């Protein structure tokens, strides 16, 4: 239980804990697979694969014959993803290699499905990543991105309903400034999910569809399931280590880059930690409960055939209903 990767200094290590295994309802992913016609898919590219969570979720609904290639710029994650596939006895089906999303090491027009999860939100230039994803997709193939609006999470907490209005506004403002600063520093926009449909359209994808992940990670005492225990453990662990959404030093950098004033930082940081500690204390008392919602968009679009008009229906993978 917990996060075996949290001591790694590599990208996103804080978010590769057990809770990540529970981000999707399997029957909902099956529904996506039917909508997207994944039964015909053979070659899949998982961009920014990390240790392979998203590819594995998709692997559960893809045909046995489908091969999933994961690329990540971080060699540590590529190695871990390969180890995890080997431990499952799936080295033939899941392959991993080092690669930069903005310069994917593949020929054009190669993959039936090119996809990513929580990767565009880390991109200095998400348009460059999307351009590459489109390039390596085959004509008629699908490009799909699962990317959140994390800012919405600032309001998705039962404590918000009870907290003083000013305190909630302070925290929302703090997160908004930090998200803007992170983007300004070229470290990605944490709520980019909101902009992905427009970016897909600008890159010529057709038949763009936008969905919401229907998974909520609700927790109720006594936190009886493994999934609930992983969730409350993560909340408690972050609070114990004074880790908010980011570390203190990253949060400080983002806040200033987003237009926050140095003299405001300590008060904002203290308010964020106080809220996190209150939740952790409620967990320790066995009184913490949460509906556990997040706003996770799934956006997909079809790569057109050369010279196809935007007004002609491209022969898509879509619609296997
Ligand atoms: C939040 S993790 C998501 C991992 C995986 N997609 C998942 O959902 O579990 C973001 C991943 O993107 C990778 N990444 C970030 N920028 C990248 C880039 N420009 N090229 C390739 N990988 C990148 C990071 O190394 C990290 O593993």
């Amino acid at each position: 239980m917990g996060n075996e990767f949290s001591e790694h200094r590599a990208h996103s290590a804080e978010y590769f804990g057990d809770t990540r295994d529970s981000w999707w309802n399997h029957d909902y992913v099956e529904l996506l697979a039917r909508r997207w016609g994944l039964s015909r898919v053979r070659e899949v590219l998982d961009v920014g694969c990390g240790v392979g969570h998203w590819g594995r979720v998709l692997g559960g609904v893809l045909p046995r014959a489908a091969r999933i290639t994961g690329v990540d710029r971080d060699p540590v994650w590529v190695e871990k993803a390969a180890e995890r596939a080997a431990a499952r006895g799936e080295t033939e089906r899941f392959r991993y290699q080092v690669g930069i999303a903005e310069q994917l090491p593949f020929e054009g027009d190669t993959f039936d499905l090119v996809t990513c999860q929580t990767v565009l939100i880390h991109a200095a230039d998400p348009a460059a990543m999307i351009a590459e994803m489109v390039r390596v997709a085959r004509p008629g193939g699908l490009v799909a991105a699962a990317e959140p609006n994390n800012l919405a999470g600032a309001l998705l907490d039962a404590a918000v309903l009870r907290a003083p209005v000013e305190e909630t506004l302070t925290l929302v403002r703090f997160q908004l400034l930090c998200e803007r600063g992170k983007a300004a520093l070229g470290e990605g926009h944490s709520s980019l999910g909101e902009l992905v449909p427009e970016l897909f359209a600008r890159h010529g994808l057709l038949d763009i569809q936008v969905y919401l992940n229907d998974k909520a990670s609700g927790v109720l005492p006594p936190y009886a399931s493994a999934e609930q225990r992983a969730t409350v453990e993560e909340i408690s662990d972050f609070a114990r280590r004074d880790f908010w959404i980011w570390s203190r030093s990253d949060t400080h950098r983002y806040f200033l880059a987003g237009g926050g004033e140095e003299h405001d930082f300590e008060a904002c940081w203290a308010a964020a930690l106080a809220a996190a500690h209150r939740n952790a204390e409620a967990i320790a008392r066995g009184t913490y409960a949460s509906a556990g919602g997040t706003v996770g968009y799934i956006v997909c679009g079809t790569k057109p055939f050369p010279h196809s008009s935007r007004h002609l229906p491209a022969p898509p993978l879509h619609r296997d209903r």
Side-chain angles (χ1 to χ4, degrees):
M1 294 287 288
N3 181 356
E4 63 178 296
F5 303 111
S6 66
E7 298 306 316
H8 285 270
R9 299 187 73 79
H11 194 282
S12 301
E14 294 285 358
Y15 292 98
F16 285 167
D18 290 341
T19 54
R20 208 173 183 92
D21 291 322
S22 311
W23 276 17
W24 296 89
N25 285 317
H26 182 70
D27 57 356
Y28 179 77
V29 184
E30 285 176 331
L31 174 64
L32 286 180
R34 283 202 300 281
R35 286 174 174 168
W36 292 351
L38 296 191
S39 62
R40 296 192 291 280
V41 161
R42 291 297 175 269
E43 293 293 338
V44 178
L45 180 64
D46 177 12
V47 177
C49 60
V51 297
H53 285 93
W54 177 228
R56 193 175 168 195
V57 166
L58 290 174
V61 299
L62 285 163
R64 288 306 306 168
R67 191 168 64 167
I68 298 122
T69 303
V71 284
D72 201 285
R73 73 176 169 197
D74 197 321
V76 175
W77 294 148
V78 169
E79 191 186 316
K80 296 287 173 198
E83 278 173 21
R84 282 156 58 96
R88 302 194 303 271
E90 294 194 298
T91 46
E92 277 307 305
R93 198 162 180 242
F94 291 86
R95 294 174 189 196
Y96 295 98
Q97 67 184 82
V98 175
I100 304 288
E102 294 85 346
Q103 281 178 294
L104 289 168
F106 305 102
E107 299 279 308
D109 302 344
T110 298
F111 295 94
D112 301 310
L113 170 65
V114 182
T115 185
C116 66
Q117 170 175 272
T118 60
V119 177
L120 298 174
I121 58 167
H122 297 294
D125 183 358
M129 276 192 192
I130 293 170
E132 275 295 271
M133 292 172 76
V134 173
R135 181 184 68 78
V136 301
R138 70 160 174 79
L142 203 65
V143 178
E147 301 286 338
N149 176 334
N150 281 319
L151 185 63
L155 292 176
L156 298 178
D157 182 342
V160 165
L161 304 181
R162 295 183 284 265
V165 168
E166 290 309 320
E167 182 182 306
T168 298
L169 293 180
T170 297
L171 290 179
V172 171
R173 177 176 172 275
F174 189 40
Q175 189 168 333
L176 182 54
L177 288 171
C178 290
E179 287 199 0
R180 290 196 178 166
K182 184 170 181 276
L185 291 171
E187 296 181 36
H189 200 299
S190 300
S191 297
L192 188 91
E194 213 59 59
L195 305 177
V196 173
E198 183 188 341
L199 286 168
F200 271 24
R202 270 201 242 146
H203 284 83
L205 292 169
L206 302 180
D207 194 15
I208 291 167
Q209 308 289 324
V210 185
Y211 314 97
L212 277 171
N213 184 344
D214 79 342
K215 182 66 200 277
S217 296
V219 289
L220 275 179
Y223 320 128
S225 67
E227 181 185 334
Q228 292 198 30
R229 283 195 298 279
T231 301
V232 294
E233 203 170 287
E234 185 172 273
I235 294 168
S236 305
D237 178 56
F238 277 20
R240 203 164 30 240
R241 293 187 293 118
D242 284 352
F243 183 91
W244 183 46
I245 302 167
W246 310 279
S247 68
R248 185 187 192 284
S249 58
D250 282 342
T251 306
H252 185 232
R253 285 192 303 117
Y254 300 157
F255 181 69
L256 296 184
E261 306 266 356
E262 178 68 60
H263 64 85
D264 269 349
F265 179 76
E266 284 307 333
C268 292
W269 179 248
L273 286 193
H277 285 208
R278 276 198 300 273
N279 285 344
E281 284 154 18
I283 288 167
R285 285 195 305 273
T287 57
Y288 177 80
S290 166
T294 54
V295 174
Y297 291 110
I298 308 113
V299 185
C300 72
T302 303
K303 177 168 171 173
F305 285 86
H307 312 303
S308 78
S309 151
R310 295 184 68 83
H311 304 290
L312 290 175
L317 280 170
H318 273 192
R319 314 279 182 261
D320 231 22
R321 289 174 231 260

